[in-house]
């Protein structure tokens, strides 16, 4: 029996505003954040009968406490989806939500699902990365990885060693641009349409409403960044200002096969082209997006010159600049992260992949001359992930 793969489309994506650890979500449950996103997806797409959702995949890096108990299933039930809708949890550290998307997308292409919800959540204030983890002692005693591999900031310093042309001044300049672009995107109303405001509570402050990304530092300058400490290496390059913070937040996306999307009258915001995950040396995990992108491009029969829009997760500025330098792209190329990125907005680990996709979908709507775009990110323990998307609004012109 032969099977024909189906076209997979990105219908919609939403997220909570991202918070600082111990900040606006300090007394909010992790699962309630992703439940809010699932409910908002269903509210925004009323032509989708809840019983037509075939799967709910939710990622979390630290699957413990209110991020545990097969969170895809429990969040589905708590969001009010029918009991017939299954769900599961998934983990690929920073690329958790990205992997939730590509895993369910593969099921859609194969015909196992017609419609799926995929997203991620991370409450780093409640559950720091590594909480409850017991690494096998062989991983260090047998030198399977360098000890630096277990400290993300040290891997970023190692990447600076690999790319000596990426100076402290370049990463700080990139971080300033990220803050400026995010502030400009907020001022232009480009971020807010995909945010889900979240009611928050505090024993001290009472009830509140989270409606913007808490980590933003508008007005950041080169001078303020130059004064920050380099905690991972004496006289190093990585600081709290040129890296993403420790954050809380959730995302969710709606995927479908193209025929079902049209049948149900759902919007088609992007079309999946290819995806790839690749392993690299764990002690320089920030290099992961480079081979992942090269592989995804080969699979699609494309080159980097065919890509007109980039959403690169900003775990560290050096990781973005290493990617750009490898592909011969300028540090300030307007195609890259036009609305800013994680240095300004935050990076709640397993949730960030869908944020990249949602922002790419918005870029596609604004730029019909762009046919292909990609979302890419580095992944802890030495990996990279890239997803290439096609713009359904493409007007046939060259970007």
């Amino acid at each position: 029996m032969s099977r024909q793969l189906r076209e997979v489309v990105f219908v919609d994506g939403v997220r909570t505003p991202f918070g600082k650890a111990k900040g606006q979500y300090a007394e909010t449950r992790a699962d309630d954040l992703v439940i809010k996103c699932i409910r908002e997806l269903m509210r925004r797409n009323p032509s989708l009968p809840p019983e037509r959702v075939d799967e709910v995949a939710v990622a979390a890096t630290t699957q413990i406490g209110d991020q545990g108990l097969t969170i895809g299933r429990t969040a589905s039930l708590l969001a009010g989806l029918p009991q017939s809708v299954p769900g599961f949890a998934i983990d690929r550290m920073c690329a958790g939500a990205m992997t939730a998307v590509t895993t369910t997308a593969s099921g859609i292409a194969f015909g196992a699902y017609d419609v799926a919800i995929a997203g991620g959540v991370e409450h780093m204030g409640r559950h720091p990365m590594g909480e409850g983890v017991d690494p096998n002692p062989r991983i260090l005693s047998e030198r399977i990885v360098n000890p630096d591999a277990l400290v993300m900031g040290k891997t970023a310093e190692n990447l600076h060693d690999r790319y000596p042309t990426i100076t402290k001044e370049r990463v700080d300049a990139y971080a300033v641009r990220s803050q400026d672009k995010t502030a400009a995107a907020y001022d232009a109303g480009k971020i807010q349409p995909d945010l889900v405001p979240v009611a928050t509570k505090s024993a001290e402050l009472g009830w509140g409403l989270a409606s913007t990304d808490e980590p933003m530092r508008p007005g950041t300058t080169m001078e303020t960044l130059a004064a920050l400490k380099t905690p991972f290496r004496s006289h190093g390059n990585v600081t709290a200002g040129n890296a993403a913070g420790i954050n809380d937040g959730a995302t969710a996306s709606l995927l479908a096969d193209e025929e079902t999307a049209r049948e149900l009258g759902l919007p088609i915001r992007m079309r999946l082209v290819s995806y790839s995950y690749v392993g690299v040396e764990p002690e320089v995990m920030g290099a992961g997006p480079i081979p992942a992108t090269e592989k995804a491009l080969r699979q699609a029969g494309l080159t980097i010159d065919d890509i007109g829009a980039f959403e690169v997760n900003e775990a560290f500025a050096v990781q973005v600049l290493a990617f750009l330098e490898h592909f011969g792209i300028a540090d300030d190329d307007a195609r890259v992260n036009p609305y800013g990125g994680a240095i300004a907005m935050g990076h709640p680990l397993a949730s960030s992949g869908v944020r990249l996709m949602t922002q790419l979908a918005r870029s596609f709507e604004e730029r019909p001359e762009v046919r292909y775009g990609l979302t890419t990110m580095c992944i802890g323990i030495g990996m990279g992930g890239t997803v290439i998307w096609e713009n359904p609004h493409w007007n046939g012109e060259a970007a």
Side-chain angles (χ1 to χ4, degrees):
M1 177 181 178
S2 62
R3 293 180 181 270
Q4 187 171 4
L5 294 181
R6 304 187 299 173
E7 293 285 357
V8 181
V9 297
F10 183 94
V11 170
D12 201 2
V14 298
R15 68 177 178 93
T16 67
F18 291 163
K20 296 179 180 178
K22 310 295 185 183
Q24 61 189 4
Y25 298 133
E27 297 177 44
T28 301
R29 290 180 59 94
D31 48 8
D32 282 337
L33 294 177
V34 75
I35 289 162
K36 184 77 173 177
C37 292
I38 294 171
R39 286 177 173 168
E40 179 66 7
L41 276 181
M42 300 305 294
R43 186 196 68 80
R44 285 164 53 128
N45 296 278
S47 65
L48 172 63
E51 64 273 12
R52 291 295 300 270
V53 177
D54 295 309
E55 186 70 274
V56 177
V58 176
T61 300
T62 307
Q63 296 188 14
I64 194 170
D66 53 351
Q67 291 180 179
L69 197 62
T70 313
I71 192 169
R73 173 60 171 166
T74 54
S76 170
L77 292 170
L78 288 162
L81 293 178
Q83 291 184 354
S84 59
V85 177
F88 65 94
I90 197 165
D91 171 33
R92 200 197 295 263
M93 296 195 78
C94 304
M98 176 181 278
T99 305
V101 167
T102 55
T103 300
T104 52
S106 298
I108 291 169
F110 182 73
Y113 317 134
D114 291 333
V115 179
I117 291 173
V121 62
E122 208 73 52
H123 200 306
M124 300 181 74
R126 286 190 173 204
H127 307 296
M129 185 169 64
E131 180 187 12
V133 170
D134 180 20
N136 192 308
R138 290 180 50 239
I139 203 165
L140 295 180
S141 65
E142 297 182 14
R143 299 185 180 181
I144 294 170
V145 301
N146 185 291
D148 285 358
L150 304 180
V151 181
M152 298 302 105
K154 290 184 177 181
T155 71
E157 290 285 8
N158 292 342
L159 198 58
H160 272 284
D161 296 339
R162 294 285 179 94
Y163 289 84
T165 56
I166 302 179
T167 62
K168 175 73 159 53
E169 290 70 27
R170 277 180 69 186
V171 292
D172 282 353
Y174 182 89
V176 169
R177 285 193 297 274
S178 180
Q179 296 285 350
D180 290 346
K181 287 190 288 186
T182 299
Y186 262 98
D187 289 344
K190 296 183 184 297
I191 304 296
Q192 297 90 325
D194 298 316
L195 294 183
V196 186
V198 178
T200 62
K201 64 178 180 179
S202 164
E204 180 181 349
L205 301 174
W207 289 94
L209 186 69
S211 58
T212 59
D213 292 312
E214 191 178 20
M216 292 187 296
R217 296 182 293 272
T220 295
T221 66
M222 292 289 287
E223 291 72 26
T224 57
L225 294 184
L228 296 177
K229 295 180 179 179
T230 57
F232 303 104
R233 182 183 294 179
S234 179
H235 306 292
N237 298 289
V238 179
T239 70
N242 57 41
I246 299 173
N247 306 114
D248 308 330
T251 60
S253 64
L254 188 60
L255 308 167
D257 85 280
E258 187 162 350
E259 184 177 326
T260 298
R262 295 189 186 283
E263 170 202 338
L264 296 174
L266 297 170
I268 296 173
R269 300 183 67 189
M270 299 194 292
R271 188 176 291 112
L272 180 63
V273 176
S274 68
Y275 68 87
S276 179
Y277 299 94
V278 173
V280 296
E281 297 166 82
E283 51 270 21
V284 285
M285 66 96 191
I290 295 170
T293 297
E294 290 175 333
K295 185 175 180 181
L297 288 168
R298 286 197 306 271
Q299 291 170 335
L302 301 173
T303 72
I304 199 69
D305 295 331
D306 294 309
I307 305 300
F310 297 80
E311 285 290 337
V312 186
N313 193 43
E314 298 172 352
F316 300 94
V318 63
Q319 158 248 314
V320 181
L321 295 182
F323 176 88
L324 299 181
E325 187 165 300
H326 176 85
F327 287 109
I329 300 170
D331 293 4
D332 59 353
D333 193 302
R335 298 172 299 167
V336 180
N337 296 2
Y339 311 124
I343 288 174
M345 299 175 192
H347 173 32
L349 299 184
S351 67
S352 290
V354 166
R355 177 189 66 78
L356 301 177
M357 295 170 191
T358 301
Q359 291 183 195
L360 182 63
R362 188 155 302 280
S363 286
F364 278 172
E365 291 164 0
E366 294 181 356
R367 300 185 61 204
E369 75 279 7
V370 170
R371 184 173 185 183
Y372 297 109
L374 65 77
T375 54
T376 189
M377 57 202 316
C378 61
I379 308 166
I381 318 297
M383 293 179 282
T386 296
V387 187
I388 297 176
W389 302 89
E390 184 180 23
N391 186 356
H393 315 290
W394 182 52
N395 58 17
E397 299 178 4

